[in-house]
């Protein structure tokens, strides 16, 4: 007899479970509709006041046997799941996502296209130190058919006692050298208030690893129309990296390029660990061009070439590296920069690898 009762009760429980499931999904649909309306109104999805009111109302009607605390806990889980559902949907449609835009974003830097299948090299000193230094590098870039020149004028140094960069004067030097040799200037900006000043001198605003989550800086970069090279944070996940890019793109600056520059791990034989898997992941997840900084990711000159090849083989749109006329006396990153003859050898070897696509043909035509 009791066997029969048990079976009957279980049957009722199964039915209740299904009813609960139906109700939960009905609730989720309602929440989604509300989310859509809030999105149109530009209102924040999570409303703690409203959540508190709902919980209070539920508890007021609680007749047990669950105590109020348990009821609150259970409903909070339901609320959280609904909110996660909305956030998940929003994530799926990030502006930087491939799901939003299937075709690659191609950034046009005065005729040099980034992201159209032909790899692009960005090279130059870690810091701008003098006119002579920048011009020496610029000449070599020109000879090598490399159009993008990097150089830091505002240096976010780990120690406040280290060289902090020449500031606006450094940007002026870069501009003069770029104008002389028809190059594109890529330089880091660290202060949101400097964006408009920087636009007078630079063609690409770099946002450094240490500032990847400096949200005010990202917003400022999103408000100008100069292309941005956004470097991955020292320990940033792919998701955090793409959200950082989304900050810029959602403000209207769609010309964003991503740059994997190594992440912090326990390994000491490299300065950082080059996360080569970031390249295909970013290329799959996002339509933005992807660079790999082989200098900061490795911190060593002896493995630049294989790392550059690996990056290009993994689908990178470009490579960044540091070149200095006399690395031994460089005011920053003296250990990792390469000199001009080594840069020329590097370029020769990279071109010989057949990973450079049309770039090789461009050089042959010269
Ligand atoms: C740089 O490229 O000059 C630089 C400081 O690199 P990161 O921000 O990746 O450390
Ligand atoms: Mn450097």
């Amino acid at each position: 007899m009791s066997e029969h009762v048990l079976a009957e009760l279980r049957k009722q429980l199964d039915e209740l479970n299904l009813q609960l499931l139906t109700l939960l999904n009905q609730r989720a649909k309602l929440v989604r509709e509300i989310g859509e309306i809030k999105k149109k109104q530009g209102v924040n999805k999570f409303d703690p006041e409203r959540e508190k009111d709902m919980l209070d109302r539920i508890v007021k009607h609680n007749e047990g046997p669950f105590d109020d605390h348990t009821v609150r806990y259970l409903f909070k889980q339901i609320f959280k799941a609904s909110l996660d559902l909305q956030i998940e949907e929003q994530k799926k449609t990030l502006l930087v996502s491939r799901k939003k835009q299937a075709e690659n974003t191609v950034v046009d830097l005065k005729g040099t296209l980034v992201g159209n299948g032909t790899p692009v090299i960005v090279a130059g000193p870690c810091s701008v130190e003098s006119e002579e230094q920048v011009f020496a590098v610029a000449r070599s870039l020109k000879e090598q058919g490399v159009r993008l020149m990097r150089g830091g004028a505002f240096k976010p140094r780990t120690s406040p006692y280290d060289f902090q960069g020449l500031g606006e004067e450094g940007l002026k030097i870069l501009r003069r050298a770029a104008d002389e040799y028809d190059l594109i200037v890529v330089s880091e900006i660290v202060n949101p208030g400097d964006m408009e000043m920087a636009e007078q001198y630079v063609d690409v605003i770099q946002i450094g690893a240490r500032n990847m989550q400096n949200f005010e800086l990202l917003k400022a970069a999103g408000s100008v129309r100069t292309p941005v090279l956004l470097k991955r944070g020292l320990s940033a996940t792919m998701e955090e990296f793409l959200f950082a890019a989304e900050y810029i793109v959602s403000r209207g600056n769609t010309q964003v390029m991503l740059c994997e520059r190594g992440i912090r791990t326990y390994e000491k034989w490299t300065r950082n660990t080059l996360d080569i898997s970031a390249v295909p992941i970013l290329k799959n997840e996002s339509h933005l061009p992807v660079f790999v900084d082989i200098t900061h990711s490795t911190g060593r000159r002896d493995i630049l070439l294989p790392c550059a090849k690996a990056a290009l083989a993994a689908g990178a749109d470009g490579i960044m590296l540091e070149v200095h006329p006399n690395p031994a006396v460089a005011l920053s990153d003296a250990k990792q920069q390469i000199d001009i003859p080594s840069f020329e050898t590097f370029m020769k070897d990279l071109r010989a690898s057949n990973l450079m696509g049309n770039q090789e043909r461009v050089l042959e035509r010269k």
Side-chain angles (χ1 to χ4, degrees):
M1 185 62 196
S2 66
E3 281 293 301
H4 179 72
V5 174
L6 194 61
E8 178 55 33
L9 289 174
R10 281 186 166 151
K11 197 168 147 240
Q12 282 181 34
L13 203 58
D14 283 342
E15 273 165 21
L16 270 179
N17 282 342
L18 292 184
Q19 280 176 31
L20 272 175
L21 178 67
T22 308
L23 284 171
L24 283 172
N25 279 326
Q26 262 177 24
R27 189 184 186 285
K29 280 182 197 152
L30 269 179
V31 169
R32 188 191 267 164
E33 269 180 52
I34 293 170
E36 282 301 316
I37 295 170
K38 281 190 177 178
K39 196 165 137 191
K40 282 196 194 105
Q41 293 174 342
V43 192
N44 198 346
K45 292 230 163 71
F46 177 63
D47 182 349
E49 285 289 319
R50 166 82 183 135
E51 186 167 313
K52 186 180 169 299
D53 286 350
M54 284 196 292
L55 284 173
D56 288 347
R57 180 188 288 257
I58 292 162
V59 166
K60 220 169 101 190
H61 289 84
N62 180 29
E63 289 172 355
F66 282 134
D67 63 28
D68 290 356
H69 179 77
T70 308
V71 168
R72 272 183 197 278
Y73 175 79
L74 289 171
F75 275 87
K76 270 190 175 218
Q77 300 308 305
I78 296 172
F79 295 173
K80 188 175 175 307
S82 306
L83 191 67
D84 287 351
L85 187 75
Q86 291 184 46
I87 292 170
E88 270 310 309
E89 278 171 11
Q90 201 173 40
K91 265 191 225 160
K92 273 185 220 149
T93 53
L94 283 190
L95 295 169
V96 300
S97 156
R98 276 261 181 233
K99 293 190 182 97
K100 195 80 179 178
Q101 179 187 311
E103 66 278 10
N104 288 332
T105 285
V106 177
V107 179
D108 184 346
L109 300 171
K110 295 181 175 167
T112 296
L113 302 181
V114 183
N116 77 334
T118 303
V120 172
I121 306 289
V122 188
C126 180
S127 302
V128 174
E129 297 167 10
S130 69
E131 182 125 6
E132 202 188 354
Q133 171 226 23
V134 173
F135 272 71
V137 174
R139 257 192 308 278
S140 170
L141 296 195
K142 183 72 184 173
E143 276 169 29
Q144 293 302 313
V146 170
R147 192 130 184 269
L148 275 62
M149 175 171 64
R150 60 150 289 142
F154 296 93
K155 296 303 297 179
R157 302 305 299 282
T158 302
S159 163
Y161 303 116
D162 285 341
F163 177 59
Q164 303 287 308
L166 297 181
E168 190 170 346
E169 187 46 42
L171 297 184
K172 288 182 183 168
I173 295 175
L174 287 167
R175 185 73 265 155
R176 284 199 287 274
D179 287 346
E180 176 79 20
Y181 294 104
D182 184 30
L183 303 176
I184 305 292
V185 172
V186 182
S187 198
E188 179 164 355
I189 298 304
V190 296
N191 187 341
D194 280 348
M195 287 296 167
E196 278 163 31
M197 174 277 290
E199 280 191 296
Q200 297 171 51
Y201 310 108
V202 312
D203 303 299
V204 177
I205 291 165
Q206 180 171 316
I207 293 188
R210 286 155 198 81
N211 275 319
M212 190 207 82
Q213 283 189 318
N214 180 339
F215 300 114
E216 293 310 312
L217 189 65
L218 297 175
K219 287 181 197 167
S223 307
V224 294
R225 291 298 170 264
T226 299
V228 175
L229 181 81
L230 176 66
K231 298 188 87 175
R232 181 181 182 183
L234 273 69
S235 61
T237 62
M238 292 289 97
E239 189 177 48
E240 287 163 342
F241 194 12
L242 291 178
F243 272 131
E246 185 80 4
Y247 261 89
I248 305 170
V249 173
S250 62
R251 293 255 157 173
N253 190 351
T254 56
Q255 306 297 284
V256 176
M257 298 165 277
L258 304 170
C259 183
E260 156 62 29
R261 48 77 71 206
I263 47 173
R264 234 188 222 169
T265 69
Y266 50 81
E267 182 52 63
K268 292 207 172 85
W269 288 6
T270 48
R271 179 173 169 179
N272 290 288
T273 295
L274 170 54
D275 178 9
I276 210 73
S277 67
V279 178
I281 290 174
L282 292 170
K283 292 299 296 178
N284 284 349
E285 291 293 323
S286 173
H287 48 82
L288 299 176
V290 176
F291 277 88
V292 171
D293 175 343
I294 51 171
T295 297
H296 293 95
S297 55
T298 62
R300 26 191 311 174
R301 302 175 176 123
D302 57 337
I303 56 168
L304 290 184
L305 184 65
C307 290
K309 287 184 189 172
L312 294 181
D317 298 292
I319 299 291
M320 176 185 273
L321 76 160
E322 287 185 343
V323 180
H324 190 288
N326 188 358
V329 299
L331 297 178
S332 57
D333 287 349
K335 282 201 212 95
Q336 69 188 27
Q337 305 197 59
I338 55 171
D339 62 17
I340 289 172
S342 307
F343 171 60
E344 291 170 359
T345 306
F346 169 87
M347 287 304 301
K348 189 169 135 275
D349 291 344
L350 194 59
R351 283 194 296 264
S353 72
N354 286 331
L355 286 159
M356 289 292 283
N358 302 335
Q359 189 88 4
E360 205 175 346
R361 287 195 283 282
V362 171
L363 272 167
E364 278 163 7
R365 262 192 266 122
K366 280 185 192 265

